Amino acid sequence: MTEVSFCVKDEYEKTEIGNILKNLDSDLIGLIPVKKRIREIAALLLIDKLRKNLGLTGGNPGLHMSFTGSPGTGKTTVALKMADILYKLGYIRKGHLLTVTRDDLVGQYIGHTAPKTKEVLKKAMGGVLFIDEAYYLYKPDNERDYGSEAIEILLQVMENQRDDLVVILAGYKDRMDIFYQSNPGLASRIANHIHFPDYSAEELLKIGEIMLSEQQYRITEEGKKVFLQYIELRKQQPLFANARSIKNAIDRARMRQANRIFELNSNVELSKSDIVTLDIKDFLQSRIFNFVKN
């Protein structure tokens, strides 16, 4: 009997998942434990694919996942990368990601939930269904709520059509933990739990600089120092949403810069540098600094 040989590296390059993982590293600041876990899952799926090609038997790896963490920590971006990996390795047919919330699945009246949920599942087939804030599907205090009906349909599809659909449930960790405790059927079908940590202030500053660069803006060194102070203060305030809050802060800084330029005497000549540069003034006007003073 001839021993079949192969090079894992060659198989790795054939699938192109190496490029996806490289892009994951370059596109996302920080998130080291998340990136490590995604690499581990990709490695397991690649080896499983090679085993099948060699005619070896074994249990199919569970593909349904749970992404927990605060808003703005990259869960949707990583889900998109995961969909690409699953597609390149042949675990899903289409490779698309469909993002939904409770409102897309649950109806307000008797008989509305099943058609809504089934229509979403039909659109998601062959790809990845990403359910954000999944814990809102379960409302035990409301006897007339139809979220449980959506969960039952979801459970059936996750089990019976797991070869044609991958489901990722996402939300705050503490709420998701309670959600899984209340729904053991769902918990048993989730093979991979990945937690997305909050970004540090320094990481958020880097994210902000990347966002500015993509919009062809720059920030002065003095502006960076003030922006970092802003981030540290904003992280202590309610409803902080990591990268989303940074994007909002940058949008407001751009608005202040535009207003500052607009109010200049019309006889003042502006350079390209004036137009593309945010400085200390554009951040210090934030109400965060006034709030802390008071």
Side-chain angles (χ1 to χ4, degrees):
M1 179 177 178
T2 304
E3 180 74 16
V4 178
S5 63
F6 56 88
C7 177
V8 174
K9 183 178 179 182
D10 290 343
E11 298 296 327
Y12 178 81
E13 291 176 352
K14 281 182 190 176
T15 62
E16 300 179 7
I17 62 172
N19 292 332
I20 299 172
L21 294 173
K22 286 178 183 176
N23 290 336
L24 183 65
D25 277 334
S26 61
D27 293 349
L28 288 175
I29 298 294
L31 298 179
I32 302 303
V34 173
K35 293 174 181 177
K36 181 175 182 291
R37 189 64 188 280
I38 295 299
R39 284 184 176 277
E40 291 172 347
I41 294 172
L44 173 63
L45 297 179
L46 177 61
I47 297 301
D48 181 72
K49 178 182 173 69
L50 295 177
R51 286 176 57 86
K52 288 179 180 177
N53 291 343
L54 293 172
L56 297 173
T57 59
N60 291 329
L63 299 179
H64 301 311
M65 304 178 192
S66 173
F67 287 3
T68 57
S70 303
T73 48
K75 295 187 291 297
T76 304
T77 301
V78 172
L80 282 166
K81 302 293 185 187
M82 197 68 240
D84 285 343
I85 290 171
L86 292 168
Y87 175 67
K88 295 294 185 184
L89 290 174
Y91 285 91
I92 52 178
R93 292 182 290 113
K94 298 179 181 178
H96 66 293
L97 178 82
L98 179 62
T99 301
V100 299
T101 63
R102 172 192 164 88
D103 289 344
D104 299 299
L105 299 168
V106 181
Q108 295 181 326
Y109 308 102
I110 294 175
H112 284 194
T113 295
K116 286 187 73 171
T117 302
K118 290 177 181 178
E119 180 63 25
V120 166
L121 290 168
K122 181 180 177 181
K123 291 179 182 177
M125 281 299 165
V128 175
L129 177 63
F130 184 89
I131 306 178
D132 200 13
E133 297 183 309
Y135 36 75
Y136 284 130
L137 290 175
Y138 183 66
K139 293 186 176 180
D141 297 333
N142 187 349
E143 294 181 359
R144 300 182 63 183
D145 184 73
Y146 306 111
S148 58
E149 184 179 356
I151 292 174
E152 286 301 317
I153 296 171
L154 190 63
L155 281 170
Q156 293 174 16
V157 172
M158 289 173 71
E159 180 63 29
N160 300 331
Q161 295 176 266
R162 59 183 180 274
D163 292 333
D164 201 31
L165 178 68
V166 173
V167 175
I168 300 178
L169 305 176
Y172 285 105
K173 188 177 188 312
D174 54 347
R175 297 185 191 180
M176 290 300 289
D177 288 344
I178 296 172
F179 177 62
Y180 290 132
Q181 290 171 13
S182 304
N183 297 273
L186 271 176
S188 66
R189 287 167 174 78
I190 303 296
N192 300 288
H193 291 260
I194 303 176
H195 181 64
F196 289 65
D198 287 340
Y199 290 108
S200 68
E202 290 74 17
E203 288 172 337
L204 288 167
L205 177 60
K206 290 180 182 178
I207 290 170
E209 290 183 81
I210 291 172
M211 290 177 177
L212 286 168
S213 177
E214 290 173 346
Q215 298 179 62
Q216 295 186 302
Y217 279 85
R218 60 179 291 271
I219 183 171
T220 63
E221 289 302 318
E222 294 79 8
K224 287 181 188 178
K225 293 176 183 177
V226 174
F227 192 21
L228 182 60
Q229 292 175 19
Y230 167 89
I231 294 170
E232 290 169 341
L233 293 171
R234 181 65 183 86
K235 278 172 66 70
Q236 301 171 28
Q237 303 300 312
L239 304 178
F240 179 70
N242 288 276
R244 292 183 199 171
S245 292
I246 297 305
K247 182 183 183 302
N248 292 338
I250 286 173
D251 288 344
R252 288 191 289 270
R254 288 177 53 224
M255 188 178 299
R256 295 187 198 104
Q257 183 238 33
N259 190 57
R260 173 168 57 81
I261 292 173
F262 184 76
E263 291 182 347
L264 287 173
N265 188 295
S266 59
N267 294 325
V268 175
E269 292 187 3
L270 298 174
S271 66
K272 179 180 178 181
S273 178
D274 294 323
I275 296 293
V276 303
T277 302
L278 301 180
D279 66 19
I280 188 171
K281 307 183 196 71
D282 303 317
F283 293 99
L284 276 177
Q285 293 178 41
S286 169
R287 61 183 180 182
I288 286 290
F289 293 104
N290 293 328
F291 177 79
V292 172
K293 287 178 183 178
N294 295 331

